[in-house]
Amino acid sequence: MEKIQGLQVYKFGGASVKDAAAILNLCRIVRDFGPQGPLVIVVSAMGKTTNALEEIFQLAYAGKSCQSQLAALRKYHFDTIAGVIPISFGSEHVYDETEALFKELESRLKQVDLNGNFDEQYDQVVSFGELLASRVLALLLAWYGPVHYLDCRPLIRTDENWRDAGVKWPETERNIAETLPLLLAKGIVVTQGFLGGTADGRTTTLGREGSDYTAAILAYCLRAESVTIWKDVAGLLNADPKIFPDTVRYPEISYRETIEMAYYGASVIHPKTLKPLADRNIPLRVKSFLDPAAEGTLIHDCQHPALAPAFIRKTDQALLSFASKDFSFISEENMAVIFGALAQAKLKINVMQNSAISFSVCVDYSERRVHQLLDLLREQFTLHYNTGLTLFTIKNYDAASIARLTAGKRLLLEQRTRHTFQFVCQG
Ligand code: ASP
Ligand code: MG
């Protein structure tokens, strides 16, 4: 497609729409710091809405009532809207459309089939967080200028890998190229992150925190000039300031370094976000919505001197060890069986290590998935596992950073490569 001159993509996460003050701040950023040229805004569900919807769905799937949780979520959305724009301002349609989405959500919940596919039904319910936020934001931003609301589900075509859907790039690129330029000519396009759709029109989700990825998908397909992710931190930091004191910000960093940090679990950017941007050389800015004039971080194709060590923590990990039952060595054939079972249970390996007669993996803990895996492998292997663990990664480590992080901890597994030091510990 023809490049749209100067096109920018902004992504606003849940924290930037978590209450009325946050939404008003977002509108101010778009008005005062936004580009003169075309702009696509991708928005996540408000605040902790996705967690709330997960809980609501789990209750419904267990055949329990979720009425009070649903009422609380509804109240939260209406209170937020009322804080931005009182009903008397001729804004009844914002309330009406929100009400309509809640009605739709309620009827979806009534259809939940306790014998049906959990993951598929999860996507049909949990997607409402983004549908609500994007609809509300589009209507509120329209007070500032021309805005076009876009439901991206028919455009971002995915497979049926529910909750972690894979993008079908040729169809997606074609759909976006056919639709977006016309809409952008009419004003700012506001759409939702995290969502896609199958060929037969069912909703999929791209994995938790997947709205960053949506911004990258759109930017790639539109050959955007840049993407900006607006966060509640000053940019890409070497550690999460809520966990580690004395963090430093990287003013500039390469795609490669950032991909690795995101892969190891740095929560600042969804790991799938970087590849589409690197493929088309689209720079990614991470900026603070609390201080929009500040520099932030520029992620692009660049060379830079050695970086300050990055500290990454992943909690709620499980360490699973598989040993052959007859003391035979763990062979390539055994590994193939173990990997096959991990893939079937949809468990992603965060670290792995093998000894002569046992093989260990560290994964994000999900009770359902770990039990599915154990059922698949119980006959062939002796299995041990520990849960409630934490995986720490130090990228670009040095002796001081290792000493600092491991002090006082009981390490269950440790691994060191040229640039990366990882360990799993209790708690
Ligand atoms: N709302 C989704 C989540 O919380 C997607 C996102 O925030 O990026 O996981
Ligand atoms: Mg979120």
Side-chain angles (χ1 to χ4, degrees):
M1 69 168 274
E2 283 258 325
K3 198 172 151 87
I4 304 171
Q5 223 42 51
L7 173 69
Q8 296 201 30
V9 178
Y10 280 7
K11 182 262 173 172
F12 288 99
S16 51
V17 283
K18 74 173 196 291
D19 54 27
I23 294 177
L24 288 168
N25 182 54
L26 185 165
C27 295
R28 187 177 63 88
I29 289 175
V30 173
R31 194 190 56 201
D32 297 346
F33 295 89
Q36 294 298 317
L39 175 65
V40 177
I41 295 179
V42 173
V43 68
S44 302
M46 291 180 187
K48 302 273 177 245
T49 296
T50 305
N51 291 354
L53 284 166
E54 278 190 346
E55 192 196 339
I56 287 170
F57 173 66
Q58 267 153 9
L59 286 168
Y61 193 78
K64 297 185 185 149
S65 165
C66 54
Q67 280 314 312
S68 65
Q69 288 80 356
L70 192 58
L73 193 65
R74 191 176 173 284
K75 180 171 182 324
Y76 165 60
H77 278 79
F78 279 97
D79 286 352
T80 305
I81 298 167
V84 180
I85 185 166
I87 196 155
S88 52
F89 272 70
S91 56
E92 291 80 357
H93 58 293
V94 187
Y95 293 84
D96 292 348
E97 294 204 21
T98 307
E99 187 58 53
L101 279 166
F102 269 99
K103 285 254 142 56
E104 211 185 303
L105 169 59
E106 237 173 281
S107 85
R108 270 268 172 227
L109 284 164
K110 286 201 185 105
Q111 292 164 31
V112 168
D113 172 3
L114 313 195
N115 300 311
N117 181 322
F118 181 94
D119 290 342
E120 177 181 352
Q121 298 188 80
Y122 169 106
D123 281 357
Q124 311 317 308
V125 170
V126 171
S127 48
F128 273 86
E130 268 66 19
L131 294 176
L132 281 159
S134 54
R135 197 75 196 108
V136 167
L137 183 65
L139 291 165
L140 297 177
L141 258 181
W143 284 76
Y144 294 87
V147 168
H148 196 96
Y149 167 78
L150 170 73
D151 181 346
C152 73
R153 292 173 295 172
L155 305 186
I156 299 185
R157 177 66 54 79
T158 72
D159 58 21
E160 293 181 8
N161 191 20
W162 314 107
R163 298 180 68 182
D164 189 21
V167 173
K168 299 198 165 182
W169 286 98
E171 287 102 311
T172 301
E173 207 172 352
R174 191 170 350 102
N175 294 341
I176 289 173
E178 277 169 11
T179 316
L180 263 289
L182 295 172
L183 302 182
L184 281 162
K186 294 190 205 157
I188 295 173
V189 170
V190 174
T191 193
Q192 52 292 129
F194 186 46
L195 310 187
T198 59
D200 62 3
R202 283 171 294 164
T203 303
T204 52
T205 64
L206 304 174
R208 285 301 307 265
E209 307 304 329
S211 298
D212 296 344
Y213 186 36
T214 305
I217 295 166
L218 293 170
Y220 174 92
C221 295
L222 291 164
R223 297 172 190 272
E225 194 166 281
S226 72
V227 174
T228 305
I229 295 182
W230 294 91
K231 308 261 320 172
D232 57 357
V233 285
L236 189 63
L237 309 177
N238 73 325
D240 182 343
K242 291 183 196 109
I243 308 166
F244 297 92
D246 58 26
T247 51
V248 294
R249 172 178 58 89
Y250 302 116
E252 181 187 50
I253 184 165
S254 68
Y255 292 120
R256 169 174 289 275
E257 283 284 341
T258 316
I259 286 174
E260 289 183 3
M261 281 184 203
Y263 172 82
Y264 290 127
S267 57
V268 70
I269 296 169
H270 189 276
K272 287 187 188 164
T273 310
L274 280 309
K275 182 175 158 43
L277 300 180
D279 283 350
R280 293 213 160 142
N281 216 349
I282 299 168
L284 171 62
R285 289 192 174 77
V286 181
K287 286 175 67 99
S288 165
F289 60 71
L290 302 170
D291 187 5
E295 179 189 37
T297 296
L298 175 61
I299 302 160
H300 63 156
D301 187 12
C302 63
Q303 304 283 334
H304 43 64
L307 294 169
F311 300 96
I312 302 152
R313 184 182 79 163
K314 251 178 181 275
T315 54
D316 208 8
Q317 299 292 294
L319 186 63
L320 319 172
S321 300
F322 313 92
S324 52
K325 284 197 166 162
D326 55 1
F327 289 102
S328 63
F329 295 133
I330 288 282
S331 65
E332 283 68 22
E333 286 78 17
N334 292 150
M335 296 268 218
V337 172
I338 296 170
F339 282 126
L342 283 162
Q344 207 176 321
K346 291 196 181 176
L347 283 165
K348 286 188 193 150
I349 301 173
N350 294 329
V351 189
M352 59 185 162
Q353 203 165 68
N354 72 317
S355 70
I357 57 164
S358 112
F359 178 68
S360 302
V361 295
C362 176
V363 297
D364 292 349
Y365 182 60
S366 146
E367 194 181 338
R368 251 166 18 90
R369 291 183 175 167
V370 167
H371 281 109
Q372 191 188 344
L373 179 82
L374 298 183
D375 288 343
L376 287 166
L377 295 176
R378 188 166 282 128
E379 231 168 73
Q380 220 174 322
F381 301 94
T382 308
L383 307 165
H384 294 282
Y385 73 98
N386 300 59
T387 57
L389 306 179
T390 301
L391 166 64
F392 284 97
T393 302
I394 312 175
K395 215 177 159 303
N396 306 315
Y397 64 85
D398 54 19
S401 57
I402 292 179
R404 178 181 157 197
L405 210 60
T406 55
K409 298 196 175 81
R410 202 169 84 74
L411 275 47
L412 301 177
L413 178 153
E414 94 179 59
Q415 203 168 79
R416 187 189 304 235
T417 56
R418 265 190 295 282
H419 299 291
T420 309
F421 181 81
Q422 293 186 288
F423 64 91
V424 178
C425 64
Q426 216 101 48

